[in-house]
């Protein structure tokens, strides 16, 4: 007997062409590169109703007080974040699965805040899986560069130093135990101490090598399910090894392989926990003929159900010899 068709949730694409949170220009072209690489087409072929909401844009920079020290382009980033947080809240409220196409990683301060605000109203905790070469857990007091894309996960966990970033909007902070840093291989000294003090879960590349991505991702999934939570995936393409994804401004050798990244996405799809996604730090200016954008789109395909062979529960089926 064939199974009845199950309506898949709508997907909302939103481009956030922000680059001033990073040290190198070019990420503003990220949304266009993902569209050119066929992100909407892949999702449509998987049976989703996809609506592209275009790109977010700011017309005037908000300046409503002195910026904190050691936060470069604070007013500009603040303007983007306030607009995005409100937009993310309404997209989540619409019932769609929003995919925020960046843009540098500072955008997550708005996307995650807006989504977390919605799920908090529903009584569901939002966990954040941070696929990244970097922890991004700096504050203005710990940062070396002052670049705000390196402060995004710390801001989301309620760390101080950027307290007026959202203005009058609600700040829906997650707790440090709702954040998983995955694939980390570069962290600043004071940032490292802060992460350790907060007991943030870290699966660095040593852990991935030692235990394997499957074991470690399942631990994240089990922890989220135990709390009746949901997942926001914040996917920095520098999570991948530069040999796989050269189109980023902050490459760090020794990243995840192509197959490791696909396994992460496939297991996340099987979990049915992911309700929102960031794709960040794609810099087409540094890419090789669109290679990184194509890889990112292929990984998003795996996240939303693209499979080599059709199977409902691949892991269980293999274990039972089917």
């Amino acid at each position: 007997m064939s199974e009845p068709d199950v309506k898949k949730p709508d997907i909302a694409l939103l481009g956030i062409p922000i680059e001033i949170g990073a040290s190198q220009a070019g990420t503003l072209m990220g949304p266009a590169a993902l569209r050119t690489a066929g992100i909407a087409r892949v999702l449509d072929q998987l049976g989703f109703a996809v609506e592209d909401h275009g790109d977010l844009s700011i017309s005037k920079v908000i300046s409503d007080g002195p910026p904190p020290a050691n936060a470069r382009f604070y007013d500009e980033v603040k303007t983007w974040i306030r607009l995005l947080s409100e937009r993310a809240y309404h997209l989540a409220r619409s019932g769609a699965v929003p995919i925020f196409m960046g843009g540098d990683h500072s955008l997550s301060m708005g996307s995650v805040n807006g989504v977390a605000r919605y799920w908090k109203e529903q009584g569901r905790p939002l966990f954040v899986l941070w696929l990244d070469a970097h922890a991004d857990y700096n504050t203005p007091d710990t940062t070396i560069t002052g670049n705000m894309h390196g402060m995004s996960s710390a801001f989301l966990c309620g760390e101080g130093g950027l307290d007026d970033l959202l203005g009058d909007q609600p700040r829906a902070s997650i707790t440090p135990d709702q954040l998983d840093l995955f694939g980390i291989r570069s962290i600043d000294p004071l940032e490292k101490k802060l992460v350790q003090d907060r007991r943030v879960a870290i699966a660095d590349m040593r852990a991935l090598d030692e235990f394997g991505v499957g074991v470690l991702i399942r631990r994240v999934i089990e922890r989220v399910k135990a709390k009746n939570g949901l997942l926001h995936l914040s996917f920095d393409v520098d999570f991948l090894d530069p040999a796989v994804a050269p189109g980023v401004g902050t490459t760090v050798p020794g990243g995840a392989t192509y197959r490791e990244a696909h396994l992460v996405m496939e297991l996340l799809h099987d979990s049915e926990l992911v309700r929102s996604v960031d794709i960040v730090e794609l810099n087409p200016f540094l890419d090789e003929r669109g290679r990184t954008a194509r890889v990112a789109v292929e990984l998003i395909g795996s996240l939303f159900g693209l499979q080599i062979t059709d199977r409902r529960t691949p892991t269980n089926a293999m274990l039972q010899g089917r």
Side-chain angles (χ1 to χ4, degrees):
M1 180 181 293
S2 61
E3 293 186 355
D5 291 336
V6 177
K7 184 181 182 297
K8 297 183 178 181
D10 293 340
I11 293 177
L13 300 177
L14 179 65
I16 304 94
I18 180 174
E19 65 180 5
I20 50 177
S23 59
Q24 191 160 357
T27 57
L28 65 82
M29 298 185 289
L34 291 167
R35 291 186 177 101
T36 302
I39 188 169
R41 182 179 65 253
V42 167
L43 294 168
D44 179 72
Q45 290 172 348
L46 289 170
F48 293 96
V50 182
E51 183 174 1
D52 191 335
H53 292 257
D55 285 353
L56 208 62
S57 63
I58 59 173
S59 57
K60 181 181 179 182
V61 174
I62 300 170
S63 181
D64 52 8
N70 300 323
R72 300 178 71 239
F73 301 109
Y74 173 79
D75 283 342
E76 290 86 348
V77 173
K78 174 182 68 181
T79 305
W80 280 101
I81 296 313
R82 291 183 185 180
L83 183 62
L84 177 54
S85 176
E86 192 66 20
R87 190 70 178 276
Y89 170 76
H90 287 289
L91 285 176
R93 192 177 181 186
S94 74
V97 176
I99 299 179
F100 304 99
M101 304 182 296
D104 70 67
H105 219 156
S106 65
L107 70 86
S108 296
M109 293 188 278
S111 63
V112 178
N113 187 80
V115 172
R117 174 185 163 196
Y118 168 74
W119 287 113
K120 185 177 181 180
E121 292 176 354
Q122 309 310 306
R124 301 286 299 275
L126 184 71
F127 289 72
V128 178
L129 177 59
W130 204 262
L131 297 184
D132 202 322
H134 308 85
D136 294 338
Y137 209 91
N138 272 303
T139 70
D141 289 335
T142 67
T143 180
I144 296 173
T145 65
N147 295 324
M148 289 187 66
H149 71 163
M151 305 182 194
S152 40
S153 68
F155 174 80
L156 295 173
C157 289
E159 299 292 345
L162 300 174
D163 303 303
D164 296 324
L165 191 68
L166 288 165
D168 295 332
Q169 290 189 37
R171 184 174 178 180
S173 297
I174 63 174
T175 57
D177 65 356
Q178 291 170 253
L179 173 68
D180 277 88
L181 304 175
F182 201 93
I184 308 302
R185 55 193 188 277
S186 177
I187 188 166
D188 298 331
L190 293 177
E191 180 187 25
K192 181 178 181 180
K193 184 179 186 307
L194 189 56
V195 167
Q196 290 174 337
D197 289 346
R198 299 296 187 264
R199 298 183 178 180
V200 177
I202 300 181
D204 60 14
M205 288 309 299
R206 158 83 188 255
L208 268 63
D209 291 341
E210 190 170 355
F211 300 105
V213 295
V215 169
L216 296 174
I217 281 293
R218 287 188 182 96
R219 288 180 185 174
V220 175
I221 290 168
E222 289 166 5
R223 191 155 56 87
V224 175
K225 285 185 175 179
K227 299 290 187 179
N228 192 34
L230 297 167
L231 260 178
H232 176 97
L233 175 63
S234 200
F235 169 41
D236 187 324
V237 293
D238 74 16
F239 165 70
L240 299 162
D241 190 83
V244 178
V248 296
T250 51
T251 57
V252 184
T257 68
Y258 183 81
R259 267 310 314 160
E260 286 174 331
H262 272 286
L263 179 57
V264 168
M265 298 302 184
E266 290 161 0
L267 292 173
L268 290 175
H269 170 260
D270 293 346
S271 77
E272 301 183 339
L273 292 174
V274 176
R275 290 295 184 273
S276 48
V277 182
D278 302 322
I279 312 169
V280 300
E281 301 290 350
L282 171 61
N283 191 327
F285 185 74
L286 303 174
D287 204 3
E288 300 172 357
R289 299 183 179 181
R291 179 179 169 192
T292 306
R294 290 195 302 272
V295 169
V297 168
E298 290 167 2
L299 290 169
I300 292 300
S302 288
L303 177 65
F304 284 91
L306 185 63
Q307 297 178 352
I308 298 169
T309 58
D310 292 331
R311 58 199 189 278
R312 282 178 291 171
T313 53
T315 303
N316 290 339
M318 290 175 65
L319 289 174
Q320 295 169 14
R322 295 176 184 170

